[in-house]
Amino acid sequence: MRAARKQLLDEGYCIVDGRLPGGKLKELQAWSDEWLATTKHPARWKYQGSDIHISGVRNVSKRHPGLPRDDLVDFLIEHPEAIMAALGLDDFRSGGTFQIISKPAGAPALYWHQDWARWDDPISKSPWPQQVFLNWYLTDTDVANGCLRVIPGSHRRRVDLHDHLIPPHESGGYEVEETNDWMFYSHPDAVDVPVSVGQLLIADARLLHGTHPNASTERRTVLLGWFYRRSNDVPPGWEGDVPSEILKREPDLPFRWNRVPGEYLT
């Protein structure tokens, strides 16, 4: 896990063995297929494919307590605990939900974006992750069926894309045209991230990422969950440098939603 942790810190993502128990993959596939078959897909899901949010039963979403609840979400939240601890992420806690994101055959690419919403906070400069997403892919992914693509290091380093992107999803991404050159730019620093069934992808919320279009004849599904550090303090045992902006940060600094990188991304 040492190499995976280094990659997460340096590049903003890593892939590890998800250690799924026997039979669990088929259970998750059937479960997600049922949700996809019985959920109306609005037009705004064009680029994501689907965006179905489900809460756990034991791990209930505090932000969205009215979501449907299912104990398979509890499994997705609780099962990676040992994996997260081995990566030095044992102080992270789930937001209480997982999303079913499924790109149907022929679906377009997902535009470039990052999901961090605290860019006004000096904690944005942290050399450690403060918020990560966990992706369980239910099929093998590659360029042909819409695998993830990322710009390594963009979680801590400004690149040209940052100054041209429309904020994602409900902040403007839903209305993006497929002809938008920057949102779908073939960036020279982009790396394709194919993932095999059973592997777990963990990535920093600040990382610029998107997907290829699904040019295959079959649906490509991923289960995505968000995990957050409970503290804004320096993680216990951290041996690296700490930016001066974080050392001077007011401990009771109020949260302000802002998805546009500012002075804390250089």
Side-chain angles (χ1 to χ4, degrees), residues 23-40:
K24 186 58 72 173
L25 174 62
K26 288 187 176 180
E27 184 180 2
L28 291 169
Q29 289 170 331
W31 173 75
S32 61
D33 285 346
E34 177 67 18
W35 273 102
L36 289 164
T38 57
T39 300
K40 182 178 180 180

Side-chain angles (χ1 to χ4, degrees), residues 111 113-114 165-174 176 183 259-260:
Y111 44 75
H113 69 285
Q114 47 78 27
L165 296 182
I166 296 169
H169 315 327
E170 73 285 346
S171 301
Y174 289 150
V176 165
M183 295 294 280
R259 282 192 168 185
V260 180

Side-chain angles (χ1 to χ4, degrees), residues 130-152:
Q130 281 287 124
Q131 177 184 342
V132 297
F133 61 89
L134 272 59
N135 275 7
W136 296 96
Y137 288 92
L138 302 185
T139 54
D140 293 340
T141 69
D142 54 28
V143 172
N145 70 352
C147 74
L148 188 74
R149 56 178 184 159
V150 306
I151 299 183

Side-chain angles (χ1 to χ4, degrees), residues 5 234-240:
R5 174 172 170 79
V234 178
W238 177 257
E239 297 179 350

Side-chain angles (χ1 to χ4, degrees), residues 1 4 7 13-18 193-196 199-202:
M1 287 289 189
Q7 184 181 18
Y13 74 101
C14 67
I15 300 172
V16 298
D17 181 356
V193 188
V195 180
S196 299
Q199 292 182 316
L200 175 62
L201 181 139
I202 303 175

